[in-house]
Every structure is written in structure tokens, then in C-alpha cells.
Amino acid sequence: MRDHLKFLLIALLQCCLSLAPAHGSVRSEYEVKAAFLFNFTRFVTWSHAENSAEPLEICIVGTDPFKELLDPIRGRLSQGRELQLRYPEINSDLSGCDVLYISESQSKNLNLLFDAARQQGILTVSDLPEFVRKGGMVGYVKQGNVIRFEINLKAASDAGLTINSRLLELAVRVLRLSLIHI
């Protein structure tokens, strides 16, 4: 009897979810990615972050797919540091950025962005295809309707970043060797 009720509940939930409007699924995808982005800041240690009183700056380069979804994290604390958002131009100085989200519109500038991130100790995050294989540090991947992430541990280490083992355990894939650069 219990299994029967469990099956009914699951079927009802699936039915309700399939009735959601199509545009709602796009928004919920970026809500999940925004939540992940915030949580990444909690499980990464920056070697250059000597002063924990300085803000932790999340920079979005290129077209912003999050829109207002990141606004609620502005001012929140992560590792005792206040989160700030910034939207630099590709050719501007990225100093001060701790996390750099690279949007699809910047796919042709990956090598430039990876070099700057490595030199300045910036965590790179994106949902570009094969992002971690190309040298990015954290890449969103979609498995069915579920958003997951991969980590390029070598790229993070080369930038002086330490990723907590709990975050590594949650990753769908962890790359530990140097890979192709585009």
C-alpha cells in the first residue's frame, strides 16, 4: 500500500511539472545556476584573499543570462565577505573579480579570459559546452532536466584556488589534468 501511495505522489508531481509553462523552465534553470554560483563562493579558497573584510566580487562578462536573479545575493555574506556584483567589459580590467561568469557571447574570448583568471586568481564559471575541457574551472552541464556541474581542478589550482572536497564530491566530473586550450 505504501509503495502504491508513493507511486501516486510521484506521478502527480510529474504531471504538475509537465504542465508548467515552457518559459518557466528557462527561468528555473537560471535560478538553479544562480544558487550554484552563490554556493561555489562558499567552497573555494582564494590564495590572494588575505583581507577577509574585502568584498567578494562576482563578475558577469558578456550578455547577462541571469538578469535580476542574482540581485538577492548582493550584500549577502560568503566566508565572512560581502558579495558584490559587477559587469565588466571584456577589454576592461578584471582585477577585483573573485568569480568570473563567462556568458555565451564571450566564447571567442575564452583564452584571453582564462589567462587573466589564472594570473589574477579568479574562479571561472560558465555553461558553455565543454567549458572545463577548454580550461574553465566550473562548468554547468545539463543531464536531462537537471543542472549539474563539472570542475577542472588543474585550472583552479593553477590560479591559486583551492576547492573544498565537499564541492568536488558533488561534481558530476572532476578533471585533474591539463587539457586542450582553444
Side-chain angles (χ1 to χ4, degrees):
M1 180 70 170
R2 226 176 172 174
D3 287 341
H4 179 69
L5 288 174
K6 190 176 184 180
F7 174 78
L8 258 152
L9 180 60
I10 290 171
L12 180 63
L13 284 171
Q14 287 176 335
C15 181
C16 290
L17 291 175
S18 67
L19 295 176
H23 68 278
S25 63
V26 172
R27 180 177 170 93
S28 64
E29 175 180 334
Y30 278 94
E31 286 174 342
V32 170
K33 290 177 180 179
F36 271 140
L37 195 59
F38 168 71
N39 283 307
F40 295 152
T41 68
R42 299 172 64 212
F43 294 97
V44 173
T45 304
W46 287 263
S47 60
H48 69 272
E50 298 162 7
N51 184 359
S52 64
E54 289 184 20
L56 196 153
E57 197 162 279
I58 298 174
C59 297
I60 312 296
V61 67
T63 306
D64 178 13
F66 295 101
K67 309 285 186 243
E68 73 284 347
L69 294 174
L70 287 176
D71 289 343
I73 69 171
R74 194 184 304 258
R76 289 185 68 182
L77 294 180
S78 178
Q79 300 188 45
R81 299 172 66 193
E82 182 181 333
L83 292 174
Q84 292 184 353
L85 300 175
R86 186 162 59 106
Y87 302 87
E89 296 295 320
I90 180 64
N91 54 1
S92 73
D93 186 12
L94 297 177
S95 66
C97 294
D98 294 292
V99 177
L100 182 65
Y101 178 85
I102 303 170
S103 75
E104 186 177 344
S105 67
Q106 296 303 311
S107 62
K108 293 181 180 175
N109 298 312
L110 286 180
N111 282 336
L112 175 69
L113 293 167
F114 290 160
D115 288 343
R118 186 176 45 257
Q119 292 170 7
Q120 298 178 46
I122 302 170
L123 178 72
T124 57
V125 180
S126 184
D127 54 9
L128 287 166
E130 301 297 320
F131 183 70
V132 298
R133 284 193 62 244
K134 294 174 181 174
M137 297 174 202
V138 179
Y140 296 113
V141 291
K142 207 169 181 184
Q143 293 182 329
N145 288 330
V146 178
I147 304 298
R148 303 287 308 270
F149 60 91
E150 307 176 308
I151 295 174
N152 183 329
L153 196 55
K154 173 80 169 112
S157 177
D158 288 349
L161 305 176
T162 304
I163 298 179
N164 186 297
S165 62
R166 291 186 289 175
L167 188 59
L168 294 173
E169 289 172 9
L170 294 174
V172 70
R173 180 170 66 156
V174 177
L175 304 177
R176 300 179 193 293
L177 303 173
S178 293
L179 297 166
I180 62 170
H181 278 278
I182 54 166

